[in-house]
Amino acid sequence: MSSLVPGTTATLMRRALEAATTGLVHHGGPFGALVADDQDRIVAVGVNVVILGSDPTAHAEVAAIRRATAMRRSYRLADCTLVTTCAPCIMCTGAIHWAGIRRVVAGARASDAQAVGFVEGPLGFDAAAFLRARGITYEVDVERDASITLLRSYRGPTY
């Protein structure tokens, strides 16, 4: 999915939340993400389908990155922002780094996901610190209340 209309950071987060909500309706996990270009135009959207697709790598961030790289026919997304409804787990953090994404915007914190039963990485893992140490801008708490509400609405298994 691509959008020609640029959005603000909050608008982009609301779009990621809408995607995650739609994913929940279709029995996906409570996570959504999108990749936007340097003009804040949506390049790709992803939702969590780990349980639905029997694929432990089918996180929203990875899905959005895969779609964006396929659309661009390049493994590099250096001019892009990843907007995610929750702080990325350790796997998604690695994918963000390897894709060359320069900015990440997160809604809920890892502790919010952990509070409802999700394990985001080994004890003490800090996605924000890892990304910032690599020169990647990391913003958190954008639409956090809505992101937490989404997490709390999930009734499926956690992992």
Side-chain angles (χ1 to χ4, degrees):
M1 147 150 232
S2 184
S3 173
L4 299 176
V5 180
T8 66
T9 300
T11 300
L12 291 170
M13 181 60 73
R14 285 191 291 276
R15 178 63 187 95
L17 286 160
E18 288 170 12
T21 301
T22 299
L24 273 177
V25 169
H26 293 93
H27 309 291
F31 304 97
L34 61 82
V35 173
D37 67 14
D38 59 353
Q39 301 295 310
D40 287 338
R41 293 176 299 210
I42 297 171
V43 176
V45 177
V47 297
N48 180 293
V49 292
V50 168
I51 305 296
L52 193 61
S54 299
D55 179 355
T57 70
H59 291 202
E61 297 93 333
V62 170
I65 290 168
R66 285 177 178 161
R67 286 187 180 115
T69 57
M71 289 188 68
R72 291 191 157 195
R73 294 186 171 102
S74 172
Y75 69 95
R76 300 294 290 170
L77 300 171
D79 65 334
C80 292
T81 295
L82 179 87
V83 178
T84 178
T85 60
C86 188
C89 73
I90 193 167
M91 176 185 69
C92 294
T93 300
I96 291 162
H97 166 68
W98 288 112
I101 291 169
R102 302 306 325 147
R103 179 175 171 238
V104 174
V105 177
R109 299 175 184 182
S111 58
D112 299 325
Q114 291 164 354
V116 298
F118 288 95
V119 177
E120 299 301 292
L123 202 56
F125 174 70
D126 185 344
F130 176 92
L131 295 169
R132 287 177 178 142
R134 282 146 187 85
I136 299 168
T137 302
Y138 187 87
E139 300 170 35
V140 70
D141 295 345
V142 176
E143 299 289 331
R144 182 178 181 212
D145 290 342
S147 297
I148 291 171
T149 298
L150 178 69
L151 286 169
R152 290 180 179 162
S153 72
Y154 179 65
R155 297 293 175 251
T158 56
Y159 38 89

